[in-house]
Amino acid sequence: MGLACWSFQAAMPCEMIMLQLGQCGNQIGFEFWKKLCKEHGISPEGILQEHATEGIDRKDVFFYQADDEHYIPRSVLLDLEPRVINTIMNSEFRKLYNPENVYTAKDGGGAGNNWASGYSQGENLHEEVFDIIDREADGSDSLEGFVLAHSIAGGTGSGMGSYVLEKLADRFPKKLVQTYSVFPNQDSSTDGVGGIGVSDVVVQPYNSLLTLKRLTQAADCVVVLDNTALN
C-alpha cells in the first residue's frame, strides 16, 4: 500500500506556477521561458520539436498541453505598465503564452517606483489578478507551489509583489512559495575606489525594507539576484 502510494505521487507532475511581476520580473521570466523551451525542445510557438518527442523530462511541471497540442507555460504575467509585457507579446514567443494569463493595469501608469503605490494598486486589482492565479491553480492536477520573479527596489515588483506574497500565504498555505528577488547593488561609486553608491530612486531603501519583511514572512525560499550582475 505504501509503495503504491509512493509510486502514484512520483508519477504526479507536481506543477509549479510562475508569477512574473513588474518590469524586472517579466524580463527575468521571459529569459527563463526561453531557456526552458530550449531545454525541453519546445519551439517559440509552443510546438514540441521532433527530436524531443520521446523524452521523459517532465514537461508538465512547468508546461501544460492545450487542445491543439501546443505547450503553454504555467505562467502569469502581471504589470502595472505595459511596456515590457508588450515587448514580450510582440516577440517571436508571443504565441507561446496564454493571453488570458497576461494582465496589465488599464490606466498603464505603473507604480512610480513607490512601494505603497504598488501595494495599494495590488489591493484594488486583487479580484482580477487572483482570478487568473486561481484558474491556473485549478487547472493543475497536483500543484506543488509558486515561483515569483520580481525586484525588491522598484514599485510594482516590490509593492504589488508584497501584496501577492501575503495573499498567496493566505489562499495556498500548504503550497511552496519560492522567489527570485532582484536586490539593488549599492557597492558601486563614481570614483572607482569603492564605497556606497547612490540610487536614482530616492525611496529605494524603503521599498527594499518593506519588501524584505514580506519575503521573510511569506516565502519558503528566496533566491537573491544581484541587479548589476544580471545587467
Side-chain angles (χ1 to χ4, degrees):
M1 175 68 178
L3 183 60
C5 181
W6 181 87
S7 300
F8 173 75
Q9 289 179 338
M12 296 296 284
C14 295
E15 302 94 347
M16 299 293 292
I17 295 174
M18 179 90 166
L19 306 177
Q20 304 169 200
L21 276 100
Q23 174 181 324
C24 183
N26 278 291
Q27 288 172 330
I28 292 173
F30 186 41
E31 295 302 319
F32 172 80
W33 290 112
K34 285 198 286 187
K35 295 289 186 185
L36 214 59
C37 284
K38 185 176 181 181
E39 180 178 319
H40 289 294
I42 296 172
S43 73
E45 292 81 24
I47 305 297
L48 191 63
Q49 296 172 341
E50 204 170 314
H51 71 270
T53 53
E54 308 213 352
I56 51 171
D57 51 354
R58 302 290 295 276
K59 299 176 185 67
D60 289 346
V61 172
F62 282 103
F63 295 89
Y64 63 89
Q65 278 186 275
D67 294 337
D68 57 359
E69 299 304 309
H70 277 62
Y71 278 87
I72 298 175
R74 300 183 188 276
S75 181
V76 178
L77 287 68
L78 305 169
D79 205 349
L80 296 176
E81 61 100 8
R83 185 166 54 90
V84 173
I85 287 182
N86 283 348
T87 300
I88 294 172
M89 299 311 289
N90 287 319
S91 71
E92 63 174 332
F93 287 84
R94 61 187 175 275
K95 294 182 180 178
L96 180 70
Y97 298 93
N98 179 358
E100 294 182 356
N101 285 9
V102 178
Y103 183 84
T104 54
K106 293 180 175 61
D107 62 5
N113 289 317
N114 186 298
W115 184 93
S117 175
Y119 189 91
S120 63
Q121 289 189 64
E123 281 187 301
N124 295 335
L125 300 171
H126 168 91
E127 191 171 329
E128 295 157 88
V129 168
F130 273 89
D131 278 351
I132 299 173
I133 296 174
D134 288 342
R135 173 168 39 78
E136 197 65 28
D138 290 342
S140 303
D141 292 323
S142 179
L143 180 64
E144 182 76 13
F146 299 89
V147 177
L148 187 144
H150 69 135
S151 166
I152 73 165
T156 303
S158 67
M160 190 176 181
S162 294
Y163 181 80
V164 169
L165 275 171
E166 289 178 346
K167 293 307 170 187
L168 285 176
D170 287 340
R171 295 169 84 101
F172 303 96
K174 295 184 179 180
K175 303 302 180 185
L176 294 174
V177 177
Q178 177 178 5
T179 76
Y180 287 87
S181 304
V182 178
F183 280 53
N185 187 334
Q186 299 284 15
D187 294 331
S188 59
S189 61
T190 54
D191 58 12
V193 178
I196 302 299
V198 178
S199 168
D200 294 334
V201 181
V202 176
V203 294
Q204 179 175 281
Y206 302 99
N207 295 339
S208 301
L209 193 62
L210 290 162
T211 309
L212 280 170
K213 179 182 178 183
R214 275 71 187 181
L215 288 172
T216 58
Q217 292 175 335
D220 297 293
C221 174
V222 177
V223 178
V224 176
L225 303 174
D226 175 17
N227 187 50
T228 306
L230 287 178
N231 290 334

